[in-house]
Amino acid sequence: MTPARSPDGGPPVALFVLGMARSGTSALTRVLSLCGGALPAGMAGATPANPAGYWEPRKANALNDVILRRLGSSRFDPSLRLQEEGAFKAEEKATCIAEIRAYLRTLPAAPFVVIKDPRITCCPACGSRRRVWPDLTSRS
């Protein structure tokens, strides 16, 4: 797959929508998609609890759950222990980074991709975004 490029010819831009439940992340993700942001395939659908839909990719959720479970945690773990320095052994970190990179390579070839990720517990422990996807433009 040819990597996507941003409009200025640089690396693609991925905007990660992060936030607590019921904070408007689904609505924001949908609005960004209507403004031209590409969404990953296989979005979680609507439920009675969120009839407009969650706008989060099922594969990303599943990957996060697998990583967290493997590390003895879950998305409901309030301890933030996985964000501490040294929480991951080097081999575990390398495995997580490889899995995340494999997922990111499945994203649509678009200059601007929006990813809603409500399961962010393990992201900081994996290292910088540059290490996970070096060709990604990440803006705070």
Side-chain angles (χ1 to χ4, degrees):
M1 174 187 298
T2 303
R5 307 308 293 169
S6 69
D8 63 4
V13 174
L15 191 142
F16 290 86
V17 177
L18 311 173
M20 299 296 295
R22 311 307 308 160
S23 66
T25 54
S26 296
L28 176 60
T29 301
R30 180 60 177 141
V31 168
L32 290 168
S33 76
L34 292 171
C35 291
L39 294 170
M43 304 302 280
T47 66
N50 196 343
Y54 289 92
W55 302 100
E56 53 196 57
R58 289 187 308 267
K59 284 185 180 180
N61 288 347
L63 173 59
N64 281 319
D65 288 343
V66 165
I67 291 171
L68 291 168
R69 194 171 26 255
R70 189 169 60 225
L71 296 169
S73 187
S74 77
R75 63 182 156 152
F76 304 109
D77 182 355
S79 72
L80 301 177
R81 66 182 173 80
L82 294 180
Q83 296 184 13
E84 295 173 5
E85 186 68 34
F88 283 50
K89 294 178 184 168
E91 184 177 304
E92 292 169 332
K93 187 181 287 191
T95 298
C96 291
I97 289 171
E99 291 170 334
I100 294 167
R101 280 183 180 161
Y103 168 72
L104 292 173
R105 282 193 291 273
T106 70
L107 295 177
F112 174 50
V113 180
V114 180
I115 306 167
K116 178 184 170 204
D117 184 3
R119 295 164 174 87
I120 60 170
T121 310
C122 63
C123 292
C126 285
S128 75
R129 283 168 259 186
R130 287 263 176 246
R131 201 172 326 155
V132 174
W133 192 10
D135 297 327
L136 176 70
T137 296
S138 177
R139 299 182 180 130
S140 301

